[in-house]
Amino acid sequence: MAAVDLGTHPGHLARRLQQAHYLLWNTMVSEEITSPQFAVMNALVAEPGLDQRTVGERVGLDRSTIAEVISRLDRRGLLHKVRDPRDGRRFLLRLTEEGARTHRKLSVRTTRMNQVFLAPLTAEERTVFFELIRRVADAAESLRNPEPPHPAEPPHPAEPPREPAEPLATQG
């Protein structure tokens, strides 16, 4: 059997991109704040007061991962949780002053890091790259969270029960 060309496997290439991103992140942005933690902070800068579930949806993190990210940011004093006055079961999240300062500092660094990361591409290629990678990421997200069928669609009529098929005669 011949070896597979991993250059045609999107998962392999995505992993290589992620490894390069991780290396650049730790070198140029932060060894303490991870990219997912920054994404959560960024979501809270854009929309202060979101609840944990909504932040997770905004940044594409599953429930267990977002819970851990929120917990770490809270322990570091970068965000605080306030019980929702309308629903005591959930907490609303806001960055602390330190969290806002950290976000500003990391925003500048991420801009520089992205310039290095995307340096092999022309401006036009970057536009195409982002368009394509977003399309694939959005499609992958829909696989993880499939939409329920449209309520406007009538349910499929139940098929009448079938008679069991006659067993095939075996030739001996």
Side-chain angles (χ1 to χ4, degrees):
M1 175 181 245
V4 173
D5 178 7
L6 294 177
T8 64
H9 285 229
H12 176 73
L13 296 173
R15 183 187 55 76
R16 289 181 55 207
L17 274 175
Q18 179 59 29
Q19 285 178 321
H21 179 266
Y22 181 79
L23 174 67
L24 283 174
W25 184 274
N26 283 339
T27 304
M28 298 183 72
V29 180
S30 177
E31 292 181 343
E32 292 84 30
I33 304 295
T34 65
S35 179
Q37 289 170 350
F38 175 76
V40 167
M41 294 170 71
N42 197 61
L44 294 173
V45 166
E47 299 177 82
L50 292 176
D51 65 279
Q52 182 172 302
R53 180 187 56 79
T54 305
V55 172
E57 290 171 358
R58 295 283 197 277
V59 300
L61 295 175
D62 61 69
R63 281 191 296 191
S64 60
T65 304
I66 191 64
E68 181 59 30
V69 168
I70 296 295
S71 178
R72 288 178 185 213
L73 290 172
D74 186 33
R75 282 195 307 268
R76 293 179 66 102
L78 299 175
L79 67 75
H80 59 86
K81 302 190 251 184
V82 177
R83 196 165 296 277
D84 185 343
R86 292 177 288 147
D87 181 352
R89 295 170 296 176
R90 60 181 213 158
F91 288 92
L92 304 179
L93 308 169
R94 294 189 182 276
L95 291 183
T96 61
E97 285 299 317
E98 179 63 23
R101 275 192 299 278
T102 300
H103 176 268
R104 284 190 298 275
K105 177 176 70 174
L106 297 182
S107 292
V108 171
R109 293 177 183 178
T110 59
T111 299
R112 280 190 240 135
M113 182 207 69
N114 287 332
Q115 290 168 345
V116 171
F117 193 62
L118 298 170
L121 304 177
T122 66
E124 187 176 294
E125 289 170 330
R126 290 175 191 188
T127 300
V128 172
F129 174 75
F130 281 118
E131 179 184 324
L132 295 174
I133 202 164
R134 270 191 211 105
R135 192 181 322 161
V136 172
D138 290 347
E141 188 69 25
S142 71
L143 293 175
R144 185 170 72 169
N145 299 315
E147 291 184 21
H150 279 207
E153 295 177 13
H156 291 36
E159 292 186 25
R162 295 184 184 190
E163 294 295 318
E166 292 292 322
L168 296 174
T170 58
Q171 296 178 347

